[in-house]
């Protein structure tokens, strides 16, 4: 954990993973320090796979391990060209209907939707199939197992 005061125990956590092609991916996300060296992830990763907001993790030298799944799944969205205002508004509205929300960095080369697991993967797949009709160059994947 970094950048948090001891009083609030909030800060940032660096998640690292190795992709199947051997590429090292690192992402910094908001987190909350818990007892026993555990960290609650407060945001869903847009690049690193395997976790979503609300998951409790243990950080390891080789990456991280989810020790308790939270209530959310993550959906990682990529587009070429980058996501424009129309695309972001469409995604935000679509995921809002199932209690989710969408975030993206300023360059919008990707976005991540945090969506309650209770929404169901079939519903998310239907949203993303329809998104493909509205957003050029769209690719996506579940970021959580």
């Amino acid at each position: 954990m970094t950048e948090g005061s001891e009083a609030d125990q909030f800060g940032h956590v660096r998640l690292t993973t190795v992709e199947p092609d051997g590429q090292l991916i690192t992402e910094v996300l908001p987190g909350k320090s818990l007892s026993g060296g555990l960290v609650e992830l407060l945001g869903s990763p847009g690049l690193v796979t395997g976790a979503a907001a609300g998951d409790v993790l243990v950080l390891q030298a080789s990456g991280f391990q989810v020790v308790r799944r939270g209530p959310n799944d993550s959906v990682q969205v990529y587009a070429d060209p980058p996501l424009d205002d129309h695309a972001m508004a469409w995604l935000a509205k679509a995921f809002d209907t199932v209690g989710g929300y969408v975030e993206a960095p300023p360059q919008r080369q990707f976005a991540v939707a945090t969506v309650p697991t209770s929404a169901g993967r079939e519903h998310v797949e239907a949203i993303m199939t329809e998104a493909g009709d509205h957003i050029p160059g769209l690719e996506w994947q579940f970021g959580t197992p």
Side-chain angles (χ1 to χ4, degrees), residues 66-114:
V66 176
V67 294
R68 186 175 68 234
R69 287 277 300 138
N72 300 304
D73 282 322
S74 67
V75 179
Q76 298 170 330
V77 181
Y78 312 95
D80 186 15
L83 299 160
D84 61 14
D85 290 342
H86 167 76
M88 290 300 296
W90 194 96
L91 289 168
K93 183 177 178 182
F95 280 105
D96 184 60
T97 66
V98 293
Y101 59 93
V102 178
E103 301 174 281
Q107 303 84 4
R108 294 185 182 167
Q109 69 274 31
F110 69 88
V112 61
T114 300

Side-chain angles (χ1 to χ4, degrees), residues 15-80:
L15 297 185
T16 302
T17 189
V18 178
E19 293 293 303
D21 65 2
Q23 182 180 7
L24 183 68
I25 303 289
T26 298
E27 190 167 358
V28 177
L29 296 158
K32 178 180 178 184
S33 183
L34 303 174
S35 62
L38 300 176
V39 174
E40 180 182 355
L41 199 55
L42 300 178
S44 292
L47 300 173
V48 171
T49 58
D55 287 353
V56 175
L57 315 174
V58 60
L59 303 177
Q60 303 166 328
S62 61
F64 66 92
Q65 178 183 357
V66 176
V67 294
R68 186 175 68 234
R69 287 277 300 138
N72 300 304
D73 282 322
S74 67
V75 179
Q76 298 170 330
V77 181
Y78 312 95
D80 186 15

